Amino acid sequence: IMYMNELSLARFHRLLGNSSLAEYYDVQARARLAAMNEWLWDAGDAMWADWNLLSGTRTPRFYPSNLFPLWAGAYDPAAFNAS
């Protein structure tokens, strides 16, 4: 959700003519996307996983939330197709 909010805020500020804030939110969205792919993507299972705060690891089970990056468009299609 935060990724989508950052993209929305970037578009909003671009429409208002505030290019510095638009760029700020674009950078934040790109950083979040990179972090999601680094920490949550499991190439072996070809899915995003939930993060277990207690163990500091990915949760190895499937939950509907594993599909959220697809719904949000929070992935790089080129990298996704390579998997």
Side-chain angles (χ1 to χ4, degrees):
I1 292 175
M2 292 179 70
Y3 173 77
M4 293 174 64
N5 287 341
E6 289 159 345
L7 291 179
S8 294
L9 286 166
R11 281 190 296 267
F12 175 73
H13 285 291
R14 201 167 285 108
L15 286 171
L16 292 176
N18 190 338
S19 59
S20 62
L21 273 177
E23 177 62 21
Y24 170 80
Y25 285 110
D26 279 333
V27 168
Q28 296 302 307
R30 285 192 300 269
R32 186 169 312 282
L33 179 62
M36 286 171 58
N37 287 323
E38 179 180 347
W39 293 97
L40 303 178
W41 176 250
D42 186 328
D45 290 333
M47 71 174 191
W48 290 272
D50 288 338
W51 189 259
N52 184 318
L53 293 174
L54 298 176
S55 68
T57 61
R58 291 184 199 109
T59 302
R61 284 168 261 156
F62 177 80
Y63 295 97
S65 58
N66 297 108
L67 300 174
F68 183 77
L70 290 175
W71 175 76
Y75 63 95
D76 177 5
F80 187 72
N81 289 332
S83 294

